Amino acid sequence: MIIDIQLRMRFFESDHACVQFFAETGFPCPSRRNPSDHFLRCVNSDFDDVAATMKGSMKLRAEAELDPLLKYSTSEIRERLVDKYRISDYAMMVRSTIHEITKIEGVMEDVIRGSQASWLKQLRTLTSRSFTNMSRDLNYYWLRIIIYIVMAICLGTIYYDVGTSYTAIQARASCGGFVSGFMTFMSIGGFPSFIEEMKVFTLERQNGHYGVAAYIISNFLSSMPFLLAVSWASASITYWMVKFRPGFSYFAFFALNLYGGVSVIESLMMIISALVPNFLMGLILGAGVIGIMMLTSGFFRLLPELPKIFWRYPVSYIVYGSWGLKGGYKNDLIGLEFEPMMPGQPKLTGEYIITEMMGLSLNHSKWLDLAMIFVLLFAYRLTFFVVLKVKEAAAPYIRVAYTRFTVKRLERRASFRKTLAMASMSKRHNPPHPMAIQEGLSSPMPY
């Protein structure tokens, strides 16, 4: 009630009116004391300890004649202030002012939670802001584009004009495996930016500025131009230097296949950034997960030869690498003929290489393999949405559990128990000596 009195008078009246009210109640502010300190002295019970410490001293009796606060306890001062305020003109004026404010059109008494912007407005604003941040941060995408271009040049020079000889079969497969595996693996370089972005998202989400879905979609839309630039720039260099099958449709598939793999890895790292507490742990976890994806893609060991339980079904079906590699093989090999291992033997067709040498099926088109990558991309983004929602709902329980665990761990330490015991003894046997009783101070709260 006392705090309510002070706040109401501070907001609706001048400082002079507040000082006048306390004076009318019988507690005037001394001329050399700060009014805020005087108000605090009236309502804070901690100063009762000061009076108790000085009880019986000649100095206290002398000051009591000048300072009426020393004659009463804090509880008595509070009661007098409350009783006086209830029947004062100040209370009537405050109630009248509040009543007039509530009649103003557009003023709402209830607290409005969350953002008042529409979902589309949130999406547009977040997309624009995220795109601006990505454009200005050289380490976010620009440096990665340069690294991808350099890597594409290196790859193109190593496999330059690979041809259609018998040894070119393994060379083409290796080049495709590197593109679908290691070139997408380099997307892990964006993880530090994801960690920083998650900090901003957590703070803004707690304030209710926007929804989780708007954030995820905006991040995908704002990153799309940069990822397309990464994939198309890399594909343009590698595809024409290696001299894969000529034709724009084949090149477009190659670039989209790379874009899908990079986007899936970005989504995976965003999931990890929402789960781990720091950069180092996320980097280690992300590298491990991507390594497992590469092992089950069908390059290091053919898909039919993977252990059927777990690795073949379902792992190879839920990782992007197997679909990207199968689609890449079909895009590059179908329709080509390669020289046989021994001269005089019939040439090897691309279909034969895919089915017999790689153990893959031609029952569906390469476009279905590409479509499955984008299905996985959607599934990973949906998983990211679920993770953020679950984390948001479980955050209070996690904090409570972590606090209890920390307290129990500290209680088991002998040094911590000793510190608590010493603090308890110090508080019991050594009462504090406030600065107010030191020589030269005329009151508990001097100006």
Side-chain angles (χ1 to χ4, degrees):
M1 183 65 183
I2 296 299
I3 302 300
D4 178 67
I5 292 173
Q6 186 173 352
L7 287 176
R8 288 170 183 262
M9 296 189 66
R10 297 287 287 182
F11 278 107
F12 294 105
E13 296 291 341
S14 63
D15 293 342
H16 176 73
C18 199
V19 173
Q20 182 179 355
F21 170 77
F22 275 77
E24 293 174 354
T25 312
F27 308 105
C29 179
S31 59
R32 299 186 63 184
R33 182 178 297 174
N34 190 307
S36 297
D37 294 339
H38 178 72
F39 303 148
L40 182 63
R41 170 64 182 85
C42 293
V43 300
N44 193 341
S45 59
D46 292 342
F47 292 99
D48 289 342
D49 297 335
V50 177
T53 303
M54 300 175 60
K55 184 177 293 185
S57 67
M58 296 296 295
K59 186 176 182 179
L60 177 63
R61 287 194 293 269
E63 290 183 356
E65 298 178 359
L66 301 176
D67 192 350
L69 297 182
L70 297 177
K71 299 178 182 179
Y72 304 96
S73 65
T74 302
S75 59
E76 293 173 341
I77 297 175
R78 288 178 178 177
E79 291 179 3
R80 294 186 60 175
L81 288 171
V82 170
D83 294 339
K84 177 66 176 179
Y85 179 77
R86 285 174 177 170
I87 60 175
S88 67
D89 294 337
Y90 300 109
M92 297 179 61
M93 288 188 296
V94 169
R95 285 193 290 267
S96 176
T97 304
I98 294 175
H99 183 69
E100 292 176 0
I101 291 176
T102 56
K103 290 183 178 180
I104 299 176
E105 184 178 359
V107 176
M108 302 191 61
E109 298 182 10
D110 296 334
V111 177
I112 301 176
R113 299 179 180 270
S115 173
Q116 299 307 296
S118 64
W119 189 85
L120 290 177
K121 177 65 174 179
Q122 296 177 21
L123 180 61
R124 288 195 302 269
T125 304
L126 288 174
T127 303
S128 176
R129 186 185 71 173
S130 181
F131 182 81
T132 302
N133 292 337
M134 293 175 181
S135 302
R136 293 175 177 176
D137 190 352
L138 296 178
N139 297 326
Y140 208 121
Y141 281 116
W142 296 115
L143 182 60
R144 291 164 60 187
I145 291 176
I146 296 174
I147 297 299
Y148 267 85
I149 291 176
V150 173
M151 186 62 65
I153 295 174
C154 296
L155 190 64
T157 54
I158 292 174
Y159 293 97
Y160 180 77
D161 195 6
V162 67
T164 56
S165 63
Y166 182 80
T167 57
I169 299 174
Q170 180 62 36
R172 287 174 178 266
S174 300
C175 184
F178 186 90
V179 171
S180 63
F182 290 98
M183 289 194 75
T184 54
F185 178 84
M186 291 192 300
S187 294
I188 199 174
F191 184 72
S193 301
F194 299 155
I195 288 289
E196 296 300 323
E197 193 171 306
M198 285 305 303
K199 294 178 182 178
V200 177
F201 165 77
T202 302
L203 179 61
E204 295 179 342
R205 178 59 184 159
Q206 289 174 348
N207 293 327
H209 294 328
Y210 48 80
V212 177
Y215 166 73
I216 294 176
I217 297 176
S218 67
N219 178 271
F220 174 76
L221 294 177
S222 59
S223 64
M224 182 183 295
F226 297 97
L227 295 181
L228 285 173
V230 166
S231 58
W232 282 78
S234 304
S236 300
I237 297 172
T238 302
Y239 198 86
W240 302 117
M241 290 186 70
V242 177
K243 295 187 178 180
F244 287 116
R245 297 187 62 183
F248 180 77
S249 63
Y250 299 105
F251 164 75
F253 182 92
F254 184 86
L256 290 174
N257 198 17
L258 179 57
Y259 166 75
V262 172
S263 299
V264 168
I265 293 299
E266 292 250 324
S267 302
L268 172 65
M269 297 309 298
M270 295 193 73
I271 295 173
I272 294 176
S273 67
L275 294 174
V276 299
N278 56 63
F279 163 74
L280 182 60
M281 186 180 297
L283 199 62
I284 295 173
L285 180 60
V289 174
I290 297 174
I292 294 175
M293 289 183 172
M294 293 169 61
L295 282 174
T296 56
S297 63
F299 176 73
F300 296 97
R301 190 170 189 187
L302 299 179
L303 288 177
E305 298 176 358
L306 288 174
K308 296 295 187 294
I309 299 177
F310 187 68
W311 295 115
R312 183 73 172 98
Y313 310 103
V315 173
S316 67
Y317 282 84
I318 60 176
V319 299
Y320 77 97
S322 60
W323 300 102
L325 202 59
K326 287 189 292 185
Y329 287 160
K330 295 175 183 177
N331 183 64
D332 179 44
L333 299 178
I334 294 179
L336 294 182
E337 291 185 344
F338 294 85
E339 298 296 330
M341 183 177 181
M342 301 295 294
Q345 294 180 348
K347 291 187 175 182
L348 302 176
T349 63
E351 292 81 353
Y352 175 84
I353 295 172
I354 293 175
T355 56
E356 300 300 327
M357 299 179 64
M358 298 179 177
L360 301 178
S361 174
L362 294 176
N363 293 333
H364 59 269
S365 168
K366 64 180 181 181
W367 297 104
L368 179 60
D369 294 320
L370 180 63
M372 287 302 302
I373 295 179
F374 287 94
V375 169
L376 290 176
L377 173 60
F378 174 78
Y380 281 32
R381 290 283 173 169
L382 182 61
T383 303
F384 183 43
F385 174 84
V386 173
V387 168
L388 291 180
K389 281 292 188 179
V390 173
K391 183 180 178 181
E392 184 178 294
Y397 303 99
I398 295 175
R399 285 195 293 266
V400 170
Y402 180 76
T403 302
R404 291 177 178 175
F405 171 77
T406 304
V407 171
K408 290 181 179 179
R409 186 178 59 181
L410 290 174
E411 288 176 347
R412 289 195 294 266
R413 296 181 179 179
S415 59
F416 182 75
R417 293 195 298 267
K418 183 178 179 180
T419 302
L420 288 179
M422 293 177 63
S424 178
M425 293 178 61
S426 176
K427 185 176 181 180
R428 188 184 310 117
H429 301 294
N430 299 303
H433 299 282
M435 294 182 63
I437 65 175
Q438 296 180 9
E439 188 67 26
L441 298 181
S442 61
S443 67
M445 289 295 290
Y447 178 68

